[in-house]
Amino acid sequence: MSLNSATAVAAALLVSFDAASAMVAAATKPMTYTRLGSSDLMVSDCCLGTMTWGKQNTAKEAADQLSAAWDMGVNFLDTAEGYPVPMTAETQGETDRCIAKWMKTAKQPRDSVILATKVCGRNDRFTWFRDGPTIVNRDQVIASVDASLSRLETDHIDLLQIHWPDRYVPLFGTTRYDVSKERDDEVSFAEQVEVMGELIKAGKIRHWGLSNETPFGVCEFARVCDALGVPRPVSVQNSYSLLQRSDETGLVEAMRRLDVGYLPYSPLSAGVLSGKYRGLQTPPAGSRMELFQGYMDRYLKSQAISHRPSLLFFFKSVGFLGSEFA
């Protein structure tokens, strides 16, 4: 969704103000739970993200965040084999270890935690995971799951997601499809589906899902699943916020027709919508804008830079913090 002016932003927000008021008010009520797509997972309406644990947050801070979230009724957390970010060989897997330590120390029953994780998609630079580029083929997916189970000290994963596709798609801030980047060696949809079915039968995962995926990808995975007799993906985890709404066009229709759940990440646009970067020419030391290559271009130099002051003014005028409204 493109916005042409600050006036258009305010007008669009006014239309949804009543709904936003209701959502913020609901935050003071007991947690509610929703079935995730076609799965049997009843997940809390808030899922706890974990990608800073082991880099920006210590294990103790991770435990404090987990305990606070579970006290408020959260039962769903999302990690990844590559966390924390930025992904490095030195820190890879620390987030999982923080989670395992909390579950053991807090004596948290395994069935009280819906545990989601992710296997890396194709990346030629991430050579430390499995002695070469990460690829979503059978051998690497199985190796990823076995390593995650070991770090998390559990015998199963509730939701395994493909972090980003094996095939070329525009990712992480890029929006235009570049045909010159298509590859002949992409792993087939069938091979990826078959290994998910194999892991489900082995009891290592209960369900599987997608992330940073397109309408074509969701529909093709569902079609191949039906052809091979493998359960369909139950969720898609994509970036979604007031400043990133492209999924409202084609992806919503695909998910509704295929009964696929939606897990939006970065609802605050990496903190931009909170207002904490307002007026800053350079990112604060230790912030994601400083640590993550490309974040400045992706979030602060996008349409956010022109609309953020108007958005924050509007939030204040109707009695909300930016984080509350977002």
Side-chain angles (χ1 to χ4, degrees):
M1 177 179 180
S2 62
L3 301 173
N4 296 322
S5 67
T7 302
V9 175
L13 292 176
L14 280 167
V15 172
S16 59
F17 173 64
D18 287 341
S21 300
M23 286 191 290
V24 174
T28 62
K29 298 178 181 178
M31 185 68 68
T32 55
Y33 303 86
T34 304
R35 183 174 61 85
L36 183 62
S38 59
S39 77
D40 59 356
L41 301 175
M42 292 298 294
V43 299
S44 52
D45 285 348
C46 293
C47 176
L48 184 61
T50 66
M51 71 179 188
T52 61
W53 300 347
K55 178 66 176 180
Q56 291 175 278
N57 291 123
T58 65
K60 182 183 184 306
E61 289 168 339
D64 289 344
Q65 292 173 30
L66 280 158
S67 294
W70 256 249
D71 287 345
M72 290 186 285
V74 171
N75 72 348
F76 188 22
L77 65 83
D78 177 69
T79 182
E81 67 167 337
Y83 286 174
V85 291
M87 295 185 188
T88 66
E90 293 72 29
T91 61
Q92 187 256 322
E94 284 302 312
T95 299
D96 286 352
R97 286 184 273 272
C98 288
I99 294 167
K101 183 177 181 180
W102 170 75
M103 291 184 67
K104 182 184 295 184
T105 303
K107 296 181 172 54
Q108 198 69 39
R110 178 62 183 86
D111 61 5
S112 71
V113 179
I114 295 177
L115 184 55
T117 190
K118 299 182 285 290
V119 54
C120 288
R122 174 73 68 101
N123 192 296
D124 292 336
R125 294 182 293 107
F126 293 166
T127 57
W128 59 87
F129 286 87
R130 287 172 283 280
D131 298 322
T134 54
I135 301 171
V136 194
N137 61 20
R138 177 185 180 277
D139 289 346
Q140 288 214 23
V141 172
I142 291 174
S144 171
V145 168
D146 287 343
S148 291
L149 291 172
S150 176
R151 286 191 303 272
L152 291 164
E153 300 182 31
T154 187
D155 62 355
H156 71 279
I157 292 163
D158 296 297
L159 176 66
L160 176 67
Q161 303 153 97
I162 299 173
H163 205 157
W164 59 89
D166 185 88
R167 70 190 192 283
Y168 162 72
V169 297
L171 282 173
F172 306 129
T174 59
T175 57
R176 183 165 295 181
Y177 191 91
D178 184 348
V179 296
S180 70
K181 295 182 178 180
E182 294 177 343
R183 296 186 301 269
D184 294 330
D185 63 343
E186 63 188 34
V187 178
S188 69
F189 283 90
E191 181 173 348
Q192 295 174 74
V193 164
E194 286 172 343
V195 70
M196 294 301 175
E198 186 177 341
L199 288 166
I200 290 171
K201 286 183 179 179
K204 293 183 178 181
I205 69 173
R206 293 175 63 190
H207 303 281
W208 72 286
L210 305 164
S211 184
N212 298 294
E213 192 51 274
T214 69
F216 167 74
V218 174
C219 292
E220 187 65 5
F221 271 118
R223 184 191 69 80
V224 174
C225 283
D226 292 349
L228 297 177
V230 173
R232 291 176 177 179
V234 301
S235 61
V236 177
Q237 183 179 161
N238 280 6
S239 177
Y240 181 78
S241 71
L242 287 169
L243 297 174
Q244 171 54 268
R245 301 176 67 178
S246 57
D247 283 348
E248 292 179 7
T249 52
L251 189 60
V252 168
E253 179 185 15
M255 291 189 304
R256 283 188 58 78
R257 291 181 179 274
L258 297 170
D259 196 14
V260 175
Y262 190 64
L263 300 173
Y265 74 79
S266 201
L268 292 176
S269 288
V272 169
L273 287 171
S274 72
K276 66 182 179 181
Y277 296 115
R278 187 177 186 180
L280 298 179
Q281 299 302 311
T282 57
S287 69
R288 278 179 286 176
M289 291 297 171
E290 179 193 54
L291 293 172
F292 302 166
Q293 185 178 3
Y295 257 48
M296 284 288 287
D297 289 334
R298 183 177 174 187
Y299 292 106
L300 284 181
K301 296 181 181 179
S302 66
Q303 65 176 355
I305 196 68
S306 59
H307 296 312
R308 189 173 71 248
S310 299
L311 287 168
L312 295 175
F313 175 80
F314 175 76
F315 298 154
K316 184 177 181 180
S317 71
V318 294
F320 288 93
L321 297 174
S323 56
E324 290 175 327
F325 199 102

